[in-house]
Amino acid sequence: SPQAVDFIKSLLVTDPTQRPTAEEIQKSEWLTTWADAEGSAEDRELNPDIVQALVSFKEKDDMLKLLSEVLSFTLLPDQLEGLRKQFEIMDSEGRGEISLGDLKNALVMNAEAGSLGSLSEEEIEDIFQAMRVRKTEMRIHWHEFIAAALSQVEIDDRNLELAFERLDTEHKGYIEVENIIELMGGYTDENEDSIRKMWQNVFKDRNVDRCRRVSK
């Protein structure tokens, strides 16, 4: 790699005053990158509970997937500590996003290590599809990953309160489908009719407000 070449060249400088010190060598970009890549196998193992959460997420109602996304923005850093490490394992190149290839590689690698049961390629593609809020996007972003793995996070009353307030912008004390459309309409590829249909499905066969509202 170019970084390795630069590293070797720096060591071959004949003038000792121009040659990097031992401390500077230890901080070199190539050496630190190589050291990070050589982390223990345990550090690169996915938590089976996280994988199960991703598998379960693809079976959720589409509206619950959208609401999970809303809730993901209310979480504090200490609530996300465990998820961050799992995201970084999948985001092998440190881009802050996960491609379908990244997801397949992470799940296959851990299955081979014996930490996970095997998933078919079709199942992994279904998981990837379910996690994407914008279907035109070909990568999974951080908050989409959080939403999919939300069952592994300890949600408290503060999170629920903030999520409700993000939707109930007029402080009416209840949420209607119009609130979902207003907040998520520009964020998801789903059109207004699709979001209304999702909302109706939430109330199907359930004993709730006939006005199809969710009260605080």
Side-chain angles (χ1 to χ4, degrees):
S1 69
Q3 292 88 353
V5 172
D6 291 341
F7 177 76
I8 298 298
K9 284 182 177 179
S10 70
L11 299 180
L12 298 177
V13 174
T14 56
D15 185 350
T17 62
Q18 300 298 316
R19 194 184 306 143
T21 64
E23 183 178 356
E24 289 171 337
I25 289 173
Q26 289 178 339
K27 295 179 180 179
S28 72
E29 180 182 358
W30 177 79
L31 198 60
T32 53
T33 301
W34 178 81
D36 290 342
E38 289 297 308
S40 68
E42 184 177 346
D43 290 338
R44 296 191 297 273
E45 282 186 9
L46 289 174
N47 183 336
D49 292 336
I50 295 293
V51 177
Q52 185 56 53
L54 302 184
V55 172
S56 299
F57 184 74
K58 69 183 177 68
E59 305 299 334
K60 285 187 177 181
D61 292 338
D62 289 335
M63 179 55 63
L64 293 181
K65 292 174 184 174
L66 285 182
L67 293 177
S68 295
E69 183 81 9
V70 176
L71 195 54
S72 74
F73 284 94
T74 72
L75 300 172
L76 295 172
D78 61 334
Q79 292 176 288
L80 298 171
E81 187 175 348
L83 291 189
R84 171 63 71 179
K85 179 180 177 182
Q86 297 296 300
F87 182 84
E88 290 172 351
I89 292 173
M90 295 187 185
D91 177 21
S92 58
E93 296 184 14
R95 295 170 302 202
E97 53 191 17
I98 301 169
S99 68
L100 176 57
D102 292 332
L103 186 63
K104 286 181 178 180
N105 289 339
L107 295 179
V108 169
M109 180 180 69
N110 280 267
E112 289 174 350
S115 59
L116 304 172
S118 61
L119 290 169
S120 69
E121 186 168 335
E122 183 178 358
E123 286 175 310
I124 296 174
E125 290 175 357
D126 287 344
I127 292 170
F128 186 80
Q129 178 72 8
M131 291 170 70
R132 289 189 299 154
V133 175
R134 288 183 182 274
K135 303 308 180 187
T136 53
E137 291 276 350
M138 298 310 295
R139 297 183 185 276
I140 301 298
H141 301 285
W142 172 228
H143 277 279
E144 292 171 315
F145 176 78
I146 297 172
L150 202 60
S151 63
Q152 300 303 304
V153 177
E154 290 189 18
I155 303 296
D156 56 33
D157 290 342
R158 184 197 65 85
N159 300 125
L160 298 175
E161 182 83 19
L162 288 175
F164 193 94
E165 289 177 358
R166 288 197 69 189
L167 291 165
D168 182 20
T169 54
E170 298 177 5
H171 308 292
K172 297 176 294 187
Y174 58 83
I175 298 170
E176 298 175 294
V177 66
E178 285 74 17
N179 300 118
I180 307 292
I181 294 170
E182 180 182 357
L183 181 64
M184 301 298 291
Y187 187 67
T188 176
D189 293 329
E190 302 291 349
N191 59 38
E192 184 174 322
D193 289 341
S194 295
I195 294 177
R196 289 186 183 278
K197 187 175 181 180
M198 290 180 200
W199 186 252
Q200 290 171 1
N201 289 338
V202 171
F203 293 88
K204 188 178 180 180
D205 301 327
R206 295 180 184 176
N207 184 22
V208 292
D209 189 342
R210 290 186 179 181
C211 295
R212 289 183 174 143
R213 299 171 175 171
V214 175
S215 300
K216 194 169 182 179

